[in-house]
Amino acid sequence: CEPFPTYPRTYDMLHANGLLSYLTSEGCSMMDLLLEMDRILRPEGWVVLSDKLGPIEKARMLVTQIRWEARVIDLQNGSDQLLLICQKPFVRK
């Protein structure tokens, strides 16, 4: 539930498996996590999240609020795991 110590780095891709479910169990805010990812991710960077249906759907709704492009992919391997693939847009001023 705390900021990542990243100075002076930014990232092109972030990947997490089960992080959204873990946050829910710890009582942390998913929106705070996504805003922190937005802070450390370069424009046109990617986020790949693997988790269960509930947390993925909630995260998909939140990332569209911060104007990321997002799509959900069903792995179709008999498990309840889904992938949420997001891209932070490049915004010109």
Side-chain angles (χ1 to χ4, degrees):
C1 298
E2 297 180 13
F4 296 108
T6 60
Y7 183 79
R9 296 178 190 93
T10 57
Y11 296 90
D12 292 320
M13 188 179 96
L14 301 171
H15 176 267
N17 182 15
L19 179 63
L20 302 175
S21 294
Y22 177 75
L23 278 178
T24 304
S25 70
E26 292 294 312
C28 298
S29 167
M30 193 179 298
M31 182 56 111
D32 288 343
L33 171 75
L34 295 171
L35 289 174
E36 183 67 10
M37 287 180 167
D38 186 65
R39 180 185 71 82
I40 66 176
L41 196 64
R42 289 184 181 139
E44 297 184 340
W46 294 88
V47 173
V48 179
L49 300 170
S50 175
D51 216 313
K52 296 179 181 176
L53 175 64
I56 289 290
E57 282 301 316
K58 183 177 178 185
R60 186 186 59 78
M61 291 182 346
L62 293 173
V63 298
T64 56
Q65 290 178 6
I66 57 176
R67 303 200 193 301
W68 287 4
E69 297 174 20
R71 62 181 174 260
V72 176
I73 297 175
D74 185 1
L75 299 176
Q76 297 179 348
N77 61 358
S79 71
D80 59 349
Q81 292 287 106
L82 298 173
L83 287 179
L84 176 63
I85 300 176
C86 311
Q87 186 176 28
K88 179 179 175 178
F90 182 80
V91 180
R92 293 185 184 195
K93 292 185 178 186

